Amino acid sequence: MPDPLKTLRLTIDGELGTGIFETYHTTVAPSLRTGYVVGGRGSTVNAVLGQLANDGEDSKRKGVYLDAGGGSLTWSMEFRQWEGSSDQAGDPLQWGDSQDPTVHTKTSATGASALSKLECLLYWWEQTTIDSENPALLEYGQHYDQGIYEPKEIVFEEPTIRDVAEDGQHISGSMTLVSAANLRDIQDAANRLTT
């Protein structure tokens, strides 16, 4: 059995090129989100879907649930970064498009200060379109190319930097990562209902 990854790796491909963001001190909590796909009571989208499905007037007050095999997979992630972040072996963790810790640009902050890492990550989020058509890639545990499971295509949901140390020595934050495959399935189902 392959060894699990000790680090978590997010890969962002887009307008800026390829950025890799690795973190060692992190927690990842997978979950399955079930519930309304679109709207709830009184949603215009629900009314249109109800008319297409011939559910009558009552459909305006119903939410639309979709469980095409299990709902949306999500991962709640908390992370911490600081200058000189490294893995268990002492190797620098990549933060941006260069693994070289001496390179410090808008798109790379591998060996830079925690605040520079924050600015670099924000720049990637701002400048790159990450959606179900161009997802980021999540690798952790056994979810990687040589692992038991495939890496996960994800989109970010309200990423937040929660804490910046007063002395600027570290940053910590949280993200909810949503399976892009589930989002594509939902879009395809909605498209089939409206065509």
Side-chain angles (χ1 to χ4, degrees):
M1 181 161 107
D3 290 333
L5 285 179
K6 302 290 187 203
T7 59
L8 179 139
R9 182 181 306 126
L10 290 170
T11 303
I12 299 173
D13 277 315
E15 295 83 349
L16 298 175
T18 300
I20 296 174
F21 297 86
E22 297 176 316
T23 183
Y24 176 67
H25 294 275
T26 187
T27 59
V28 179
S31 64
L32 182 66
R33 182 185 297 157
T34 59
Y36 290 117
V37 172
V38 288
R41 269 181 74 90
S43 168
T44 303
V45 174
N46 289 340
V48 170
L49 292 175
Q51 287 180 352
L52 291 172
N54 294 321
D55 282 346
E57 191 66 27
D58 288 343
S59 66
K60 292 180 185 177
R61 302 290 178 246
K62 296 179 183 176
V64 176
Y65 284 85
L66 179 66
D67 184 4
S72 293
L73 289 172
T74 65
W75 297 265
S76 297
M77 172 186 151
E78 295 195 13
F79 65 95
R80 192 169 198 194
Q81 277 293 314
W82 61 92
E83 186 173 351
S85 294
S86 60
D87 62 14
Q88 273 186 318
D91 297 321
L93 296 171
Q94 185 168 337
W95 201 259
D97 60 4
S98 175
Q99 193 172 12
D100 185 344
T102 64
V103 174
H104 185 195
T105 64
K106 286 182 179 180
T107 59
S108 184
T110 297
S113 71
L115 292 177
S116 293
K117 289 182 182 222
L118 168 61
E119 293 299 327
C120 178
L121 181 59
L122 291 175
Y123 188 71
W124 278 88
W125 284 341
E126 177 186 35
Q127 298 296 319
T128 306
T129 302
I130 302 167
D131 56 21
S132 57
E133 298 302 314
N134 184 46
L137 194 67
L138 168 65
E139 296 173 276
Y140 77 101
Q142 288 289 354
H143 294 273
Y144 64 104
D145 284 336
Q146 290 79 37
I148 295 173
Y149 306 103
E150 297 291 320
K152 293 295 188 178
E153 292 184 336
I154 56 93
V155 297
F156 299 105
E157 185 176 85
E158 298 184 17
T160 305
I161 303 299
R162 290 183 290 104
D163 183 38
V164 178
E166 284 185 27
D167 60 3
Q169 294 297 309
H170 74 267
I171 59 170
S172 60
S174 60
M175 297 183 222
T176 298
L177 311 173
V178 181
S179 171
N182 291 125
L183 294 176
R184 282 193 296 271
D185 291 344
I186 291 167
Q187 287 173 337
D188 290 346
N191 289 339
R192 283 193 303 274
L193 285 172
T194 57
T195 57

